[in-house]
Amino acid sequence: MPDQIDPARLRALDRAHVWHPYGPMPGRQEPLVVESASGVRLRLAEPAHGRTELVDGMSSWWSAVHGYNHPVLNEAARDQLDRMSHVMFGGLTHEPAVRLATRLVEITPEPLQHVFLADSGSVSVEVAVKMCLQYWRSAGRPAKRRLLTWRGGYHGDTWQPMSVCDPEGGMHELWSGSLPRQVFADAPPDGFDAEPDEAYARHLRELVASHADELAAVIVEPVVQGAGGMRFHSPAYLRVLREACDEHDVLLVFDEIATGFGRTGQLFAAGHAGVSPDVMCVGKALTGGYLTLAATLCTSRVAEGISSGDVPVLAHGPTFMGNPLASAVACASVDLLLGQDWELEVKRIGAGLRRGLAEAAGVPGVRDVRVLGAIGVVQLDHEVDMAAATRAAVREGVWLRPFRDLVYTMPPYVTGDDDVARICRAVCAAAKEG
Ligand SMILES: *Cc1c(COP(=O)(O)O)cnc(C)c1O
């Protein structure tokens, strides 16, 4: 073990040398130093606002659904480490990757039969887009190379994903001039339970129909738009998209990187609508938050289309494709999830969030409070003061990361009722202070 760096020096080195997400260099906000984590608690290297332990309300950005330092996942990692941490995937294969791919095929909608293992969510979206474009090129229709999405989405930070993120007010607005120009529908009307809006459905159908000749695919986050604004919409619009895509020869891609593995109350959000996409991306909770891994699944029609073209290969192959360590932990995480009554846990957390966040509705400056699955959102009528909101949450002993006009939480599924209540108190305090 190397000598430990004391926290103050660590913060100084961090500030001097290390980029943080969406941050300037040097960083403006001082990050908290986490020394270790277990269960739903992050242990800090030095006290912050009187706290040395924080209940994690973020699941490390949707990923740590089983909490930290889980004995089953630790064992899976250790066991795989003793065999091999990594081996190239070109010309070689191994049990962890094959097992994981087979498992994903089993638990996702039936038409999805083939799996490309990618090393991050953004890369899995790049692969999804490449699959769709190449499918049409192989079919002799190379003009079909644009994408359609609805506003308010988020699909990652690399180039193609950025081109289908919300074009306004988002993190990628800066690049709008140099990104591929995609077709944008209006954002879906709010409300998971809302009666589907017929005019909006017509808008989607018309847009798909009028651009069909140049569209390779429609790509959306089903049911929950995450980092683009934490908005929920009716599953009915997914059925509208499926029908329109079928009618006009356009592929349908669901980005389930945030919504997958039970977060919305269905194993995959597509389940709310009872429709299957042609291509689907998963990531985030895939390894239970242990290691970076994502996957792009596609139907046999897409795979066969690509593989019978004049360039009959999918030209993509990350160095760490199918990483055995990440795949082994992912298998263990999926088994852990399916081996328990995860639906009950997600419902329990959802009920706790509804109870605990109800009081936020009366707070001045709060525009909306909404809960779906194990996701709780308080939307303000102004931009949140991130520093003040985070400080308020830390005082309550909770880790939150508000953004834009949102204070939100998606706790690990193992969060106990008392800790869910504590997270809710922190969200309310953050909404007041922020
Ligand atoms: C996080 C996210 C991504 C990007 O995944 P990374 O692993 O951060 O590259 C893409 N799509 C959605 C819906 C996401 O929530």
Side-chain angles (χ1 to χ4, degrees):
M1 289 278 278
D3 288 344
Q4 254 184 341
I5 309 175
D6 79 76
R9 171 139 176 81
L10 196 139
R11 275 187 280 111
L13 290 171
D14 182 277
R15 197 176 141 71
H17 301 299
V18 187
W19 288 105
H20 282 265
Y22 310 109
M25 181 54 68
R28 233 177 274 127
Q29 283 180 346
E30 193 130 277
L32 304 178
V33 181
V34 179
E35 173 218 76
S36 63
S38 70
V40 299
R41 284 177 160 69
L42 310 178
R43 204 158 301 117
L44 303 179
E46 55 195 339
H49 307 293
R51 302 283 179 178
T52 49
E53 268 192 359
L54 300 179
V55 173
D56 178 20
M58 301 302 294
S59 297
S60 283
W61 277 333
W62 314 78
S63 65
V65 290
H66 306 298
Y68 301 89
N69 218 336
H70 194 289
V72 172
L73 302 188
N74 284 6
E75 193 191 316
R78 260 190 231 108
D79 186 52
Q80 185 55 44
L81 204 52
D82 285 341
R83 292 163 206 268
M84 61 185 169
S85 173
H86 183 64
V87 63
M88 65 185 280
F89 213 45
L92 301 174
T93 195
H94 45 77
E95 185 171 327
V98 174
R99 202 189 268 278
L100 176 61
T102 310
R103 205 82 172 103
L104 289 174
V105 167
E106 280 165 10
I107 65 174
T108 51
E110 208 271 333
L112 301 168
Q113 288 293 316
H114 311 285
V115 183
F116 188 102
L117 294 169
D119 30 19
S120 76
S122 300
V123 172
S124 76
V125 173
E126 295 279 359
V127 170
V129 172
K130 194 182 272 191
M131 281 178 176
C132 294
L133 265 62
Q134 198 174 340
Y135 174 84
W136 291 114
R137 174 191 274 253
S138 295
R141 302 182 67 183
K144 284 169 75 66
R145 56 193 168 86
R146 287 181 85 189
L147 304 171
L148 184 153
T149 188
W150 46 37
R151 288 173 185 266
Y154 175 79
H155 296 279
D157 297 341
T158 60
W159 226 241
Q160 286 287 351
M162 274 202 290
S163 77
V164 281
C165 288
D166 191 85
E168 278 162 40
M171 297 173 278
H172 303 315
E173 201 177 346
L174 179 65
W175 298 110
S176 55
S178 33
L179 290 171
R181 301 183 88 73
Q182 314 294 16
V183 182
F184 285 92
D186 297 341
D190 281 318
F192 175 78
D193 292 316
E195 200 56 35
D197 176 353
E198 193 38 52
Y200 182 73
R202 204 175 322 119
H203 166 62
L204 288 179
R205 282 193 210 98
E206 283 170 5
L207 214 51
V208 173
S210 62
H211 290 275
D213 287 345
E214 53 172 358
L215 283 182
V218 171
I219 176 168
V220 294
E221 293 159 277
V223 176
V224 175
Q225 294 183 301
M230 301 299 295
R231 299 171 70 222
F232 312 149
H233 56 257
S234 165
Y237 303 126
L238 304 172
R239 290 191 286 273
V240 170
L241 287 177
R242 179 69 278 177
E243 279 168 25
C245 285
D246 286 344
E247 189 177 340
H248 298 287
D249 259 357
V250 175
L251 296 171
L252 180 61
V253 182
F254 283 170
D255 177 348
E256 294 246 15
I257 292 168
T259 51
F261 305 102
R263 180 56 69 179
T264 69
Q266 290 273 330
L267 192 54
F268 295 99
H272 289 290
V275 300
S276 174
D278 302 291
V279 177
M280 176 166 142
C281 298
V282 296
K284 288 201 162 102
L286 176 59
T287 63
Y290 265 53
L291 290 143
T292 176
L293 186 70
T296 312
L297 290 96
C298 74
T299 61
S300 295
R301 173 189 162 212
V302 170
E304 283 162 18
I306 290 169
S307 310
S308 61
D310 49 348
V311 182
V313 295
L314 182 65
H316 213 98
T319 305
F320 289 96
M321 185 168 178
N323 177 257
L325 191 56
S327 297
V329 175
C331 285
S333 177
V334 172
D335 287 349
L336 192 59
L337 183 70
L338 300 180
Q340 58 174 304
D341 195 344
W342 60 266
E343 257 180 300
L344 193 72
E345 300 303 331
V346 168
K347 276 207 190 95
R348 176 182 63 75
I349 290 171
L353 293 175
R354 258 184 211 98
R355 254 193 321 275
L357 296 182
E359 82 158 83
V363 171
V366 169
R367 170 188 290 176
D368 187 39
V369 178
R370 50 187 181 266
V371 173
L372 179 69
I375 309 167
V377 183
V378 174
Q379 184 170 14
L380 309 178
D381 61 13
H382 55 275
E383 177 118 354
V384 66
D385 176 342
M386 186 165 29
T390 307
R391 200 184 317 122
V394 169
R395 281 205 192 102
E396 295 288 333
V398 173
W399 175 241
L400 297 176
R401 183 75 175 159
F403 75 107
R404 278 162 52 177
D405 55 353
L406 301 160
V407 183
Y408 69 110
T409 177
M410 53 264 173
Y413 302 162
V414 294
T415 310
D417 291 339
D418 289 352
D419 285 334
V420 173
R422 177 188 285 261
I423 289 171
C424 291
R425 286 199 296 278
V427 171
C428 293
K432 272 182 208 139
E433 303 278 322

PDB file of all heavy atoms in Angstrom, residues 62 120-123 125 154-157 221 227 255 257-258 284, ligand 1:
ATOM      1  N   TRP A  62     -26.798   6.869 -10.639  1.00  0.00           N
ATOM      2  CA  TRP A  62     -27.708   5.769 -11.022  1.00  0.00           C
ATOM      3  C   TRP A  62     -27.068   4.386 -10.979  1.00  0.00           C
ATOM      4  O   TRP A  62     -27.697   3.400 -11.361  1.00  0.00           O
ATOM      5  CB  TRP A  62     -28.257   5.912 -12.447  1.00  0.00           C
ATOM      6  CG  TRP A  62     -28.774   7.229 -12.877  1.00  0.00           C
ATOM      7  CD1 TRP A  62     -28.044   8.319 -13.262  1.00  0.00           C
ATOM      8  CD2 TRP A  62     -30.162   7.615 -13.016  1.00  0.00           C
ATOM      9  NE1 TRP A  62     -28.886   9.357 -13.617  1.00  0.00           N
ATOM     10  CE2 TRP A  62     -30.169   8.952 -13.494  1.00  0.00           C
ATOM     11  CE3 TRP A  62     -31.379   6.954 -12.808  1.00  0.00           C
ATOM     12  CZ2 TRP A  62     -31.353   9.638 -13.743  1.00  0.00           C
ATOM     13  CZ3 TRP A  62     -32.543   7.644 -13.068  1.00  0.00           C
ATOM     14  CH2 TRP A  62     -32.521   8.973 -13.533  1.00  0.00           C
ATOM     15  N   SER A 120     -18.320   2.264 -21.964  1.00  0.00           N
ATOM     16  CA  SER A 120     -19.053   3.303 -21.234  1.00  0.00           C
ATOM     17  C   SER A 120     -20.381   3.528 -21.935  1.00  0.00           C
ATOM     18  O   SER A 120     -20.579   3.108 -23.085  1.00  0.00           O
ATOM     19  CB  SER A 120     -18.274   4.616 -21.185  1.00  0.00           C
ATOM     20  OG  SER A 120     -18.346   5.267 -22.434  1.00  0.00           O
ATOM     21  N   GLY A 121     -21.269   4.224 -21.255  1.00  0.00           N
ATOM     22  CA  GLY A 121     -22.574   4.485 -21.836  1.00  0.00           C
ATOM     23  C   GLY A 121     -22.470   5.260 -23.144  1.00  0.00           C
ATOM     24  O   GLY A 121     -23.111   4.901 -24.145  1.00  0.00           O
ATOM     25  N   SER A 122     -21.661   6.302 -23.156  1.00  0.00           N
ATOM     26  CA  SER A 122     -21.534   7.109 -24.372  1.00  0.00           C
ATOM     27  C   SER A 122     -21.051   6.268 -25.546  1.00  0.00           C
ATOM     28  O   SER A 122     -21.551   6.403 -26.671  1.00  0.00           O
ATOM     29  CB  SER A 122     -20.557   8.264 -24.135  1.00  0.00           C
ATOM     30  OG  SER A 122     -21.001   9.097 -23.094  1.00  0.00           O
ATOM     31  N   VAL A 123     -20.089   5.392 -25.287  1.00  0.00           N
ATOM     32  CA  VAL A 123     -19.582   4.535 -26.367  1.00  0.00           C
ATOM     33  C   VAL A 123     -20.679   3.580 -26.840  1.00  0.00           C
ATOM     34  O   VAL A 123     -20.818   3.313 -28.038  1.00  0.00           O
ATOM     35  CB  VAL A 123     -18.313   3.769 -25.919  1.00  0.00           C
ATOM     36  CG1 VAL A 123     -17.913   2.735 -26.960  1.00  0.00           C
ATOM     37  CG2 VAL A 123     -17.167   4.738 -25.681  1.00  0.00           C
ATOM     38  N   VAL A 125     -23.766   4.216 -26.991  1.00  0.00           N
ATOM     39  CA  VAL A 125     -24.648   4.991 -27.865  1.00  0.00           C
ATOM     40  C   VAL A 125     -23.976   5.209 -29.229  1.00  0.00           C
ATOM     41  O   VAL A 125     -24.629   5.104 -30.276  1.00  0.00           O
ATOM     42  CB  VAL A 125     -25.044   6.338 -27.205  1.00  0.00           C
ATOM     43  CG1 VAL A 125     -25.822   7.217 -28.175  1.00  0.00           C
ATOM     44  CG2 VAL A 125     -25.860   6.094 -25.939  1.00  0.00           C
ATOM     45  N   TYR A 154     -30.831  13.278 -22.925  1.00  0.00           N
ATOM     46  CA  TYR A 154     -29.381  13.216 -22.667  1.00  0.00           C
ATOM     47  C   TYR A 154     -28.894  11.821 -23.056  1.00  0.00           C
ATOM     48  O   TYR A 154     -29.477  10.822 -22.628  1.00  0.00           O
ATOM     49  CB  TYR A 154     -29.060  13.476 -21.183  1.00  0.00           C
ATOM     50  CG  TYR A 154     -27.586  13.289 -20.905  1.00  0.00           C
ATOM     51  CD1 TYR A 154     -26.670  14.292 -21.228  1.00  0.00           C
ATOM     52  CD2 TYR A 154     -27.101  12.096 -20.386  1.00  0.00           C
ATOM     53  CE1 TYR A 154     -25.308  14.100 -21.024  1.00  0.00           C
ATOM     54  CE2 TYR A 154     -25.742  11.901 -20.182  1.00  0.00           C
ATOM     55  CZ  TYR A 154     -24.856  12.908 -20.500  1.00  0.00           C
ATOM     56  OH  TYR A 154     -23.509  12.710 -20.318  1.00  0.00           O
ATOM     57  N   HIS A 155     -27.856  11.751 -23.865  1.00  0.00           N
ATOM     58  CA  HIS A 155     -27.374  10.450 -24.329  1.00  0.00           C
ATOM     59  C   HIS A 155     -25.869  10.290 -24.197  1.00  0.00           C
ATOM     60  O   HIS A 155     -25.314   9.343 -24.751  1.00  0.00           O
ATOM     61  CB  HIS A 155     -27.812  10.203 -25.780  1.00  0.00           C
ATOM     62  CG  HIS A 155     -29.300  10.124 -25.940  1.00  0.00           C
ATOM     63  ND1 HIS A 155     -30.023   8.994 -25.661  1.00  0.00           N
ATOM     64  CD2 HIS A 155     -30.205  11.061 -26.320  1.00  0.00           C
ATOM     65  CE1 HIS A 155     -31.318   9.227 -25.871  1.00  0.00           C
ATOM     66  NE2 HIS A 155     -31.459  10.469 -26.264  1.00  0.00           N
ATOM     67  N   GLY A 156     -25.201  11.210 -23.504  1.00  0.00           N
ATOM     68  CA  GLY A 156     -23.773  11.050 -23.295  1.00  0.00           C
ATOM     69  C   GLY A 156     -22.974  12.202 -23.852  1.00  0.00           C
ATOM     70  O   GLY A 156     -23.522  13.123 -24.459  1.00  0.00           O
ATOM     71  N   ASP A 157     -21.660  12.147 -23.684  1.00  0.00           N
ATOM     72  CA  ASP A 157     -20.799  13.294 -23.935  1.00  0.00           C
ATOM     73  C   ASP A 157     -19.881  13.166 -25.145  1.00  0.00           C
ATOM     74  O   ASP A 157     -19.141  14.100 -25.455  1.00  0.00           O
ATOM     75  CB  ASP A 157     -19.928  13.564 -22.696  1.00  0.00           C
ATOM     76  CG  ASP A 157     -20.774  13.933 -21.479  1.00  0.00           C
ATOM     77  OD1 ASP A 157     -21.940  14.318 -21.670  1.00  0.00           O
ATOM     78  OD2 ASP A 157     -20.262  13.837 -20.353  1.00  0.00           O
ATOM     79  N   GLU A 221     -34.731   8.230 -24.659  1.00  0.00           N
ATOM     80  CA  GLU A 221     -34.736   7.601 -23.336  1.00  0.00           C
ATOM     81  C   GLU A 221     -36.193   7.254 -23.032  1.00  0.00           C
ATOM     82  O   GLU A 221     -37.038   8.149 -22.999  1.00  0.00           O
ATOM     83  CB  GLU A 221     -34.258   8.598 -22.271  1.00  0.00           C
ATOM     84  CG  GLU A 221     -32.817   9.013 -22.358  1.00  0.00           C
ATOM     85  CD  GLU A 221     -32.604  10.340 -21.621  1.00  0.00           C
ATOM     86  OE1 GLU A 221     -32.873  11.398 -22.228  1.00  0.00           O
ATOM     87  OE2 GLU A 221     -32.183  10.319 -20.468  1.00  0.00           O
ATOM     88  N   ALA A 227     -30.506  13.103 -17.246  1.00  0.00           N
ATOM     89  CA  ALA A 227     -29.650  14.281 -17.105  1.00  0.00           C
ATOM     90  C   ALA A 227     -30.136  15.465 -17.941  1.00  0.00           C
ATOM     91  O   ALA A 227     -29.695  16.586 -17.733  1.00  0.00           O
ATOM     92  CB  ALA A 227     -28.209  13.929 -17.468  1.00  0.00           C
ATOM     93  N   ASP A 255     -32.416   4.209 -25.258  1.00  0.00           N
ATOM     94  CA  ASP A 255     -31.256   4.398 -24.391  1.00  0.00           C
ATOM     95  C   ASP A 255     -31.729   4.158 -22.954  1.00  0.00           C
ATOM     96  O   ASP A 255     -32.352   5.033 -22.343  1.00  0.00           O
ATOM     97  CB  ASP A 255     -30.714   5.824 -24.588  1.00  0.00           C
ATOM     98  CG  ASP A 255     -29.546   6.135 -23.656  1.00  0.00           C
ATOM     99  OD1 ASP A 255     -29.301   5.352 -22.717  1.00  0.00           O
ATOM    100  OD2 ASP A 255     -28.895   7.174 -23.867  1.00  0.00           O
ATOM    101  N   ILE A 257     -29.734   3.450 -20.433  1.00  0.00           N
ATOM    102  CA  ILE A 257     -28.533   3.500 -19.585  1.00  0.00           C
ATOM    103  C   ILE A 257     -28.886   3.955 -18.173  1.00  0.00           C
ATOM    104  O   ILE A 257     -28.376   3.408 -17.193  1.00  0.00           O
ATOM    105  CB  ILE A 257     -27.475   4.410 -20.254  1.00  0.00           C
ATOM    106  CG1 ILE A 257     -26.973   3.725 -21.530  1.00  0.00           C
ATOM    107  CG2 ILE A 257     -26.322   4.705 -19.305  1.00  0.00           C
ATOM    108  CD1 ILE A 257     -26.153   4.619 -22.444  1.00  0.00           C
ATOM    109  N   ALA A 258     -29.796   4.930 -18.056  1.00  0.00           N
ATOM    110  CA  ALA A 258     -30.210   5.385 -16.719  1.00  0.00           C
ATOM    111  C   ALA A 258     -31.389   4.571 -16.196  1.00  0.00           C
ATOM    112  O   ALA A 258     -31.489   4.289 -15.011  1.00  0.00           O
ATOM    113  CB  ALA A 258     -30.563   6.867 -16.754  1.00  0.00           C
ATOM    114  N   LYS A 284     -24.537   2.191 -16.760  1.00  0.00           N
ATOM    115  CA  LYS A 284     -24.699   2.644 -15.371  1.00  0.00           C
ATOM    116  C   LYS A 284     -24.841   1.522 -14.341  1.00  0.00           C
ATOM    117  O   LYS A 284     -23.836   1.049 -13.844  1.00  0.00           O
ATOM    118  CB  LYS A 284     -25.837   3.668 -15.313  1.00  0.00           C
ATOM    119  CG  LYS A 284     -25.400   4.990 -15.965  1.00  0.00           C
ATOM    120  CD  LYS A 284     -26.212   6.185 -15.538  1.00  0.00           C
ATOM    121  CE  LYS A 284     -25.482   7.469 -15.839  1.00  0.00           C
ATOM    122  NZ  LYS A 284     -25.922   8.194 -17.027  1.00  0.00           N
TER     123      LYS A 284
HETATM  124  C1  LIG B   1     -25.226   8.519 -18.278  1.00  0.00           C
HETATM  125  C2  LIG B   1     -25.954   8.344 -19.546  1.00  0.00           C
HETATM  126  C3  LIG B   1     -25.263   8.140 -20.747  1.00  0.00           C
HETATM  127  C4  LIG B   1     -23.757   8.187 -20.840  1.00  0.00           C
HETATM  128  O1  LIG B   1     -23.141   7.158 -20.121  1.00  0.00           O
HETATM  129  P1  LIG B   1     -21.583   7.329 -19.697  1.00  0.00           P
HETATM  130  O2  LIG B   1     -21.254   6.011 -19.073  1.00  0.00           O
HETATM  131  O3  LIG B   1     -21.538   8.469 -18.744  1.00  0.00           O
HETATM  132  O4  LIG B   1     -20.821   7.591 -20.935  1.00  0.00           O
HETATM  133  C5  LIG B   1     -26.009   7.948 -21.891  1.00  0.00           C
HETATM  134  N1  LIG B   1     -27.353   7.925 -21.851  1.00  0.00           N
HETATM  135  C6  LIG B   1     -28.053   8.110 -20.717  1.00  0.00           C
HETATM  136  C7  LIG B   1     -29.539   8.046 -20.739  1.00  0.00           C
HETATM  137  C8  LIG B   1     -27.371   8.329 -19.524  1.00  0.00           C
HETATM  138  O5  LIG B   1     -28.068   8.544 -18.394  1.00  0.00           O
END
